[in-house]
């Protein structure tokens, strides 16, 4: 891989697919994708491109939006599985997105006692391009990222 970020839908999908291919070629444990930290602040519904009304994403907790320590959304891919954390309302949005990707299904939902939210493992037995499409949709429709958010490949 020669680049590690992208900010348009087509470029992000290409970036995600290249990272998945690199992950498979290297035999690494996983590839990690993150939304840019600055983009996450825009996704809280301030009426700009990242507003819930425009993206269809659910409202985030007011406490989360005001938390300066909040980490940007991330998704990991490894061994044909997507791994991500989300809130209960984001889980509903995730199920909706996955309904449009028949090759993807939720394998496991973990609700740790020591943390808010859930960890979700999704079977993603598809080619890198289809996985990349799903990852981009999850960032946009589950995590409420605006159309031109910057995504990073944080690990391959």
């Amino acid at each position: 891989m020669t680049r590690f970020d992208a900010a348009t839908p087509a470029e992000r999908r290409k970036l995600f697919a290249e990272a998945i291919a690199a992950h498979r070629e290297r035999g690494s444990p996983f590839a990690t994708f993150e939304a840019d930290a600055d983009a996450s602040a825009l996704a809280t519904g301030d009426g700009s491109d990242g507003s819930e009304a425009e993206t269809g994403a659910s409202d985030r907790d007011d406490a989360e939006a005001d938390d300066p320590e909040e980490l940007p959304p991330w998704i990991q891919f490894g061994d044909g599985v997507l791994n991500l954390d989300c809130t209960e309302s984001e889980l509903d949005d995730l199920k909706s997105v996955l309904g449009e990707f028949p090759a993807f299904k939720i394998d496991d939902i973990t609700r740790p006692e020591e943390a808010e939210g859930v960890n979700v493992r999704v079977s993603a037995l598809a080619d890198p391009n289809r996985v990349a499409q799903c990852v981009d949709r999850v960032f946009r429709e589950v995590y409420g990222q605006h159309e031109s958010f910057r995504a990073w490949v944080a690990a391959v």
Side-chain angles (χ1 to χ4, degrees):
M1 288 190 59
T2 58
R3 64 191 180 98
F4 294 93
D5 70 313
T8 66
E11 287 298 311
R12 282 192 309 269
R13 289 188 298 271
K14 184 177 177 185
L15 176 72
F16 298 150
E18 288 173 357
I20 291 165
H23 148 74
R24 287 178 173 165
E25 287 173 18
R26 295 175 184 180
S28 65
F30 51 81
T32 302
F33 313 115
E34 292 180 358
D36 190 86
D38 293 334
S40 295
L42 294 174
T44 59
D46 62 1
S48 65
D49 287 338
S51 73
E52 288 82 6
E54 291 171 327
T55 64
S58 64
D59 292 340
R60 290 195 176 261
D61 245 343
D62 289 338
E64 283 182 27
D66 295 336
D67 184 1
E69 298 296 318
E70 181 182 353
L71 298 174
W74 57 269
I75 300 172
Q76 287 184 324
F77 175 83
D79 292 329
V81 174
L82 293 173
N83 181 35
L84 57 125
D85 290 339
C86 60
T87 65
E88 290 290 340
S89 63
E90 288 170 339
L91 179 59
D92 291 338
D93 294 333
L94 176 63
K95 290 176 180 177
S96 177
V97 168
L98 295 177
E100 297 178 35
F101 291 86
F104 295 68
K105 74 170 197 155
I106 294 176
D107 285 337
D108 187 39
I109 298 174
T110 305
R111 291 176 172 86
E113 290 181 24
E114 66 279 355
E116 291 184 28
V118 297
N119 177 264
V120 184
R121 295 179 54 81
V122 177
S123 295
L125 303 175
D127 66 87
N129 289 323
R130 191 69 172 151
V131 175
Q133 290 172 358
C134 183
V135 167
D136 195 57
R137 291 273 306 277
V138 169
F139 275 118
R140 297 269 329 279
E141 296 178 27
V142 175
Y143 294 129
Q145 299 298 305
H146 56 85
E147 185 172 346
S148 61
F149 84 95
R150 180 168 306 282
W152 292 88
V153 175
V156 178

